[in-house]
Amino acid sequence: MRKPMLDTDRLCDRIERLDADVRAFIAEPGRRERLRAEAIEAAERAARRPEGADEPPLYGVAVGVKDIIRVDGLPTRAGSEVPAEALHGPQAVVVDRLRAAGALVAGKTVTAEFAVLAPGPTRNPHNLEHSPGGSSSGSAAAVAAGMVELAIGTQTIGSVIRPAAFCGVVGYKPTHGRVPVAGVIDNAPTLDTVGAFAPDVAGVARAAAVLCDGWREAAAYDRPPVLGVPDGPYLRRAEDEALAAFERQVERLADAGFPVRRASFMADYDEIVRQQFLVNRYEVARTHADWFPRYEQHYRAETAAAIREGHDVTRADYEGALRHRDEFRARLSHTMDEAGVDLWITPAAPGPAPRGIATTGSSIMNLPWSYAGAPALTVPADRSAGGLPLGLQITAAPGADEYLIARSAGIEGAVAG
C-alpha cells in the first residue's frame, strides 16, 4: 500500500504559525499552490513506478533547501541584495535527486549572505534571543522548530555542524566531493560540501543514501568503534562549559562500552587555521570575481571584507596552503591508524549559541575536519546552564561516510541517555 502524500495545507499552516517567530524560511507568495501542484506531480510519478517497485525513499517528505541552492520555480537570492537574475542558473543536482526520491521542496531557507559571515534574520527555536548558527541557519532552525523533518544546507567550514549543534538537531556534512555541488552557488569550491539536517541520525541516513554518490549499505560490525579524543591546542579552543559537558559525554560513552583513546593531535593548530583561511579567502574572492565589481554596493560589509581579504592572498600562498592541506589530510589518516582510532569525538562548537543574531558563532571546532575534507556528524548531547543545546561532533576518515552514519546511531543513544 502506498504511503499517503503529505497534507500540503497542513504543512503550510505549520510553517506560517511557527515561522512568524523563527524566520527560517524565505517568504514565498503562492507557497500553498506550488506545493499542491508539486505533491500531485510526485504522487503521479510514484503511481507510474513498476509493479512491485519500492516506494520512493523520501516520498512525501517536506524539505527545506538553503537559499544558495538553485530550485526550479523559486528565485535564488543567497541572502543578498544582488539581483536574483544575476544568480539564476539550472536546478541543483541535489534538488533533482530529492525530487526524484519523492521529496517536496517546502521552500527556501535563510542563509548568511553567500554562505559567508553576514547573518540572516533567523532565530534559535530554543531561545529566540540567541543565534541559530550559520551559514545554514534557516535549515537548522526549520528542523529544530518542527516545520520540516529534513533540510539541506552547505558547509565550507562549520555551516552545517555548528547550527545543528546550536539548534539541537542532527547535522551531517559528507566527505568533500561525495555530493554533487552543481547548481549550488560556490563559497570556496575546494571546501564546499552539501549536507543535511534531521531530528535524528536515522533521518540523515535516509537523506545521505539519496544525496551521496555511490552510497553503499553499511556492513555489520562485531565490535564498537574506538573513539579518539584529540588532546592538544585544538580541544582547548572550546569554552570551559563545553569542555566540561564534553568530558561528561566521554564518560557516558565509556560507560556504554565504547573504547575511548586520547591522542595528541594538531599541536600546530594555529598554523592549520592560518592555512585554511588562505584557501578559503582566495577562493571566495575568485567566486565573486564577476559579481563583486558589478554589484559591490549590494554586498554586506562582512562579505565584502572577506572578498577583499581574498584579493590580498597571492597565488603562491594559496598553492602552498593547498599543499599544506594535502599533508594535513594524510596526517589525519596516519594518526587515526597509528592510534587505532575509528572515529574522533569533540565538541561540535566552542559553547552554546551566542546571544543575539549579529553573529553566527565560531566555526573553530569544525575547521580542521572541513579542511581535510572529512565527513562529520553532530548529535544533541547536553544542555548548557542556560538550557541551550550542546552537540557532540563525530568525525571519520575521508570517504568513510557510511561507517560514520552507521556507528553514530549508537553514539546518539548513549550520549542522549
Side-chain angles (χ1 to χ4, degrees):
M1 180 181 294
R2 187 161 69 239
K3 173 184 172 185
M5 178 46 73
L6 178 75
D7 184 335
T8 56
D9 282 328
R10 190 172 179 181
L11 168 65
C12 291
D13 288 344
R14 185 165 68 243
I15 291 173
E16 288 175 10
R17 183 178 72 254
L18 298 172
D19 211 37
D21 291 327
V22 176
R23 301 180 71 183
F25 278 94
I26 305 296
E28 181 193 341
R31 189 192 308 271
R32 287 176 187 271
E33 293 73 22
R34 178 186 63 80
L35 273 167
R36 285 192 198 112
E38 197 164 320
I40 291 169
E41 184 180 347
E44 290 174 347
R45 280 200 308 269
R48 291 194 297 269
R49 74 188 192 279
E51 186 71 27
D54 292 337
E55 191 90 286
L58 296 177
Y59 183 71
V61 174
V63 183
V65 178
K66 184 177 181 177
D67 192 29
I68 62 165
I69 301 171
R70 297 186 179 103
V71 176
D72 285 351
L74 294 173
T76 298
R77 301 301 302 266
S80 176
E81 294 300 319
V82 171
E85 56 270 22
L87 307 180
H88 182 72
Q91 176 167 278
V93 171
V94 293
V95 180
D96 292 340
R97 291 183 178 183
L98 289 166
R99 284 177 158 164
L104 306 180
V105 176
K108 288 296 202 74
T109 53
V110 170
T111 176
E113 185 182 42
F114 289 111
V116 184
L117 292 170
T122 308
R123 298 178 179 272
N124 193 313
H126 292 271
N127 186 324
L128 299 176
E129 298 302 315
H130 287 256
S131 171
S135 61
S136 306
S137 51
S139 293
V143 172
M147 289 184 251
V148 291
E149 60 182 287
L150 179 65
I152 307 302
T154 63
Q155 177 159 312
T156 303
I157 309 176
S159 295
V160 168
I161 301 299
R162 183 174 76 259
F166 283 174
C167 291
V169 298
V170 173
Y172 161 58
K173 184 211 83 80
T175 296
H176 180 264
R178 192 73 195 270
V179 178
V181 294
V184 181
I185 294 175
D186 293 336
N187 180 327
T190 69
L191 299 169
D192 294 343
T193 311
V194 175
F197 302 85
D200 50 29
V201 172
V204 297
R206 291 173 66 197
V210 168
L211 298 176
C212 290
D213 287 338
W215 189 260
R216 305 172 300 277
E217 290 301 319
Y221 303 105
D222 57 5
R223 64 168 179 83
V226 177
L227 306 179
V229 176
D231 283 333
Y234 158 77
L235 202 58
R236 292 195 292 271
R237 292 294 189 103
E239 299 164 9
D240 289 346
E241 183 178 29
L243 278 176
F246 174 65
E247 294 299 339
R248 291 195 299 271
Q249 294 152 24
V250 170
E251 288 180 14
R252 285 182 217 150
L253 290 164
D255 290 345
F258 290 91
V260 178
R261 294 181 186 168
R262 305 192 84 100
S264 179
F265 185 42
M266 296 188 280
D268 58 339
Y269 192 52
D270 286 347
E271 182 62 13
I272 293 168
V273 173
R274 190 182 77 82
Q275 296 286 349
Q276 190 277 343
F277 180 88
L278 294 175
V279 173
N280 190 331
R281 290 299 189 261
Y282 183 91
E283 294 187 1
V284 165
R286 273 68 198 169
T287 292
H288 292 269
D290 180 49
W291 292 324
F292 190 62
R294 289 192 289 154
Y295 303 113
E296 181 177 354
Q297 71 275 18
H298 295 301
Y299 280 71
R300 292 175 63 182
E302 299 96 324
T303 315
I307 292 167
R308 293 188 185 105
E309 287 168 347
H311 292 158
D312 293 336
V313 179
T314 67
R315 180 76 187 182
D317 284 345
Y318 170 67
E319 291 175 350
L322 292 179
R323 289 192 296 273
H324 179 275
R325 184 181 61 186
D326 291 343
E327 292 163 1
F328 175 67
R329 184 183 293 125
R331 179 157 46 112
L332 169 63
S333 296
H334 174 75
T335 302
M336 294 181 76
D337 290 343
E338 191 174 59
V341 166
D342 297 314
L343 299 168
W344 295 105
I345 53 171
T346 67
R355 179 174 288 278
I357 60 169
T359 175
T360 60
S362 170
S363 59
I364 198 68
M365 306 310 295
N366 319 119
L367 183 148
W369 320 113
S370 294
Y371 184 50
L377 186 148
T378 184
V379 295
D382 229 312
R383 292 272 177 171
S384 71
L388 291 166
L390 296 170
L392 177 72
Q393 180 174 226
I394 311 160
T395 309
D401 298 63
E402 289 88 346
Y403 184 82
L404 170 68
I405 289 181
R407 305 321 300 266
S408 292
I411 295 172
E412 174 185 40
V415 295

